[in-house]
């Protein structure tokens, strides 16, 4: 099993996603002789998982059923164990695009954290690229190495436990892109510039506070970066529902059926047409934003090494 290469069959030692619904799923490590409890009953790994195809519908002991999915970076982001605050797919997608990443790219990242962005970066640069990720916290760095090994991507990533603000990324003049998610990114801009290739490399800094953004932009300008710009990605969801509005009086006869949007020749529509005309309203489908939406997560500041 690998997060960058799809496999058809569930094997012993794989990490799989147990899917109960869009709002209910969790990861499980498949092992011989192990069982997993769900609200629909027990899943027996040896009998119910190993040897089955990913995407299979598995019946639990109480008669309910779940789907077993192959892990992807997006599914892992939704289900990973949180060691730190993480980046979600909304921000990850724009980071991948704005850093112009592709298979074969060399990327430097700090800090590793829970590995949400790391898995997405690895999948993007595979099979010939590489991720150099730096984590200040020793236990988090060791846990990240363990996860990358279990997920079959250890050959695409190098995890270093050190302070990037003091010691840098451990590489020079090879990176196509650098990503910073640390409390004081302005202290690492010089090391980021040293890690980037001679010309045209891209950098991104994620910061939750605008004061951090201001100091980072000043540091980028000081070190000669160009095309400095800051984005904030907000997700706004719309519901599609039926809306009733009054028909405006434009001086037309009530018999004019064209303004109603109904086919009056269809007998099934004639009753509702008469009702709408009598009430002076017309119904149509409309997209309406939710009353509440996901708020601020952080600012993304991008720049180019000139």
């Amino acid at each position: 099993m690998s997060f960058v290469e799809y496999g058809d069959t569930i094997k012993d030692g794989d990490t799989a996603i147990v899917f109960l619904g869009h709002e209910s799923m969790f990861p499980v490590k498949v092992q011989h002789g192990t069982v997993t409890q769900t609200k629909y009953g027990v899943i027996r790994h040896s009998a119910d998982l190993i040897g089955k195809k990913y995407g299979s519908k598995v019946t639990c002991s109480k008669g309910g059923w779940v789907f077993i999915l192959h892990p992807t970076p997006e599914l892992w982001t939704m289900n990973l164990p949180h060691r730190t605050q993480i980046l979600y797919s909304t921000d990850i997608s724009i980071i991948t695009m704005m850093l112009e990443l592709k298979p074969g790219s060399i990327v430097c990242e700090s800090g590793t954290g829970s590995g949400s962005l790391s898995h997405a970066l690895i999948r993007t640069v595979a099979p010939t690229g590489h991720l150099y990720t730096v984590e200040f916290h020793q236990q988090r760095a060791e846990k990240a190495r363990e996860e990358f090994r279990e997920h079959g991507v250890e050959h695409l990533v190098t995890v270093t436990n050190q302070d990037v603000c003091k010691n840098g990324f451990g590489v020079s003049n090879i990176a196509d892109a650098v990503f910073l998610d640390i409390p004081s990114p302005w202290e690492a801009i010089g090391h980021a510039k040293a890690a980037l290739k001679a010309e045209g490399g891209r950098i991104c800094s994620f910061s939750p506070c605008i004061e951090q953004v201001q100091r980072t932009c000043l540091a980028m300008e000081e070190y000669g970066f160009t095309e400095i710009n800051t984005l904030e990605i907000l997700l706004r969801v719309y519901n599609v529902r039926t809306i009733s509005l009054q028909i405006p009086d434009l001086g037309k006869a009530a018999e004019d059926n064209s303004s109603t949007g109904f086919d009056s020749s269809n007998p099934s529509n004639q009753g509702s047409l008469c009702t709408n005309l009598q009430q002076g309203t017309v119904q149509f489908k409309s997209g309406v934003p939710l009353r509440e939406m996901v708020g601020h997560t952080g600012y993304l500041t991008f720049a180019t090494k000139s």
Side-chain angles (χ1 to χ4, degrees), residues 273-303:
L273 173 61
C274 295
T275 302
N276 281 338
L277 288 175
Q278 291 171 2
Q279 296 176 348
T281 62
V282 63
Q283 293 184 337
F284 62 95
K285 297 291 185 181
S286 176
V288 180
L290 299 180
R291 294 181 180 272
E292 297 180 357
M293 63 177 283
V294 177
H296 170 75
T297 56
Y299 300 102
L300 295 170
T301 301
F302 296 91

Side-chain angles (χ1 to χ4, degrees), residues 18 20 26 35-44 48 58-66:
V18 179
L20 293 82
F26 59 90
V35 298
T36 297
Q37 294 281 351
T38 74
K39 63 181 180 180
Y40 301 126
V42 171
I43 301 174
R44 297 174 177 83
D48 299 330
V58 174
T59 302
C60 304
S61 61
K62 293 182 181 179
W65 47 267
V66 299

Side-chain angles (χ1 to χ4, degrees), residues 208-226:
C209 302
I210 195 64
E211 291 82 6
Q212 294 171 301
V213 174
Q214 292 171 332
R215 296 188 65 174
T216 302
C217 289
L218 290 173
M220 288 178 175
E221 189 175 34
E222 179 183 346
Y223 280 96
F225 284 89
T226 60

Side-chain angles (χ1 to χ4, degrees), residues 175-243:
D176 297 289
V178 170
F179 178 80
L180 298 174
D181 183 5
I182 54 179
S184 53
W186 56 90
E187 296 180 0
I189 299 300
H191 295 297
K193 183 178 181 179
L196 287 168
K197 60 186 181 182
E199 186 177 358
R202 295 278 285 166
I203 183 173
C204 174
S205 174
F206 177 90
S207 298
C209 302
I210 195 64
E211 291 82 6
Q212 294 171 301
V213 174
Q214 292 171 332
R215 296 188 65 174
T216 302
C217 289
L218 290 173
M220 288 178 175
E221 189 175 34
E222 179 183 346
Y223 280 96
F225 284 89
T226 60
E227 299 178 342
I228 302 172
N229 63 90
T230 298
L231 309 176
E232 181 183 24
I233 311 303
L234 299 176
L235 179 64
R236 190 177 189 185
V237 179
Y238 278 74
N239 276 343
V240 177
R241 60 189 189 189
T242 302
I243 302 295

Side-chain angles (χ1 to χ4, degrees), residues 61-279:
S61 61
K62 293 182 181 179
W65 47 267
V66 299
F67 288 105
I68 308 299
L69 305 181
H70 192 283
T72 65
E74 291 77 16
L75 288 174
W76 185 245
T77 291
M78 298 172 64
N79 295 282
L80 57 77
H82 285 236
R83 299 183 289 273
T84 60
Q85 288 288 340
I86 69 169
L87 290 176
Y88 290 91
S89 296
T90 306
D91 286 317
I92 291 173
S93 60
I94 197 73
I95 291 169
T96 303
M97 181 187 75
M98 294 293 287
L99 290 181
E100 302 173 0
L101 301 182
K102 59 187 183 297
S105 295
I106 306 298
V107 186
C108 292
E109 176 198 24
S110 181
T112 312
S114 301
S116 174
L117 176 65
S118 304
H119 282 82
L121 294 177
I122 291 169
R123 194 262 309 272
T124 301
V125 305
T128 56
H130 200 83
L131 172 66
Y132 294 90
T133 183
V134 178
E135 174 55 52
F136 176 78
H137 193 277
Q138 182 178 357
Q139 289 181 335
R140 288 201 293 261
E142 292 173 354
K143 186 61 179 178
R145 289 193 192 97
E146 180 184 340
E147 285 182 350
F148 293 142
R149 183 170 56 254
E150 290 178 353
H151 298 165
V153 296
E154 71 276 8
H155 60 293
L156 297 170
V157 58
T158 299
V159 182
T160 305
N161 172 221
Q162 65 187 28
D163 186 350
V164 70
C165 296
K166 294 181 180 179
N167 306 114
F169 293 93
V171 296
S172 300
N173 302 318
I174 64 169
D176 297 289
V178 170
F179 178 80
L180 298 174
D181 183 5
I182 54 179
S184 53
W186 56 90
E187 296 180 0
I189 299 300
H191 295 297
K193 183 178 181 179
L196 287 168
K197 60 186 181 182
E199 186 177 358
R202 295 278 285 166
I203 183 173
C204 174
S205 174
F206 177 90
S207 298
C209 302
I210 195 64
E211 291 82 6
Q212 294 171 301
V213 174
Q214 292 171 332
R215 296 188 65 174
T216 302
C217 289
L218 290 173
M220 288 178 175
E221 189 175 34
E222 179 183 346
Y223 280 96
F225 284 89
T226 60
E227 299 178 342
I228 302 172
N229 63 90
T230 298
L231 309 176
E232 181 183 24
I233 311 303
L234 299 176
L235 179 64
R236 190 177 189 185
V237 179
Y238 278 74
N239 276 343
V240 177
R241 60 189 189 189
T242 302
I243 302 295
S244 295
L245 290 180
Q246 288 186 335
I247 299 175
D249 184 4
L250 303 177
K252 292 185 178 182
E255 296 83 27
D256 184 1
N257 297 337
S258 61
S259 64
T260 65
F262 284 85
D263 181 8
S264 59
S265 62
N266 187 341
S268 64
N269 287 336
Q270 290 177 356
S272 57
L273 173 61
C274 295
T275 302
N276 281 338
L277 288 175
Q278 291 171 2
Q279 296 176 348

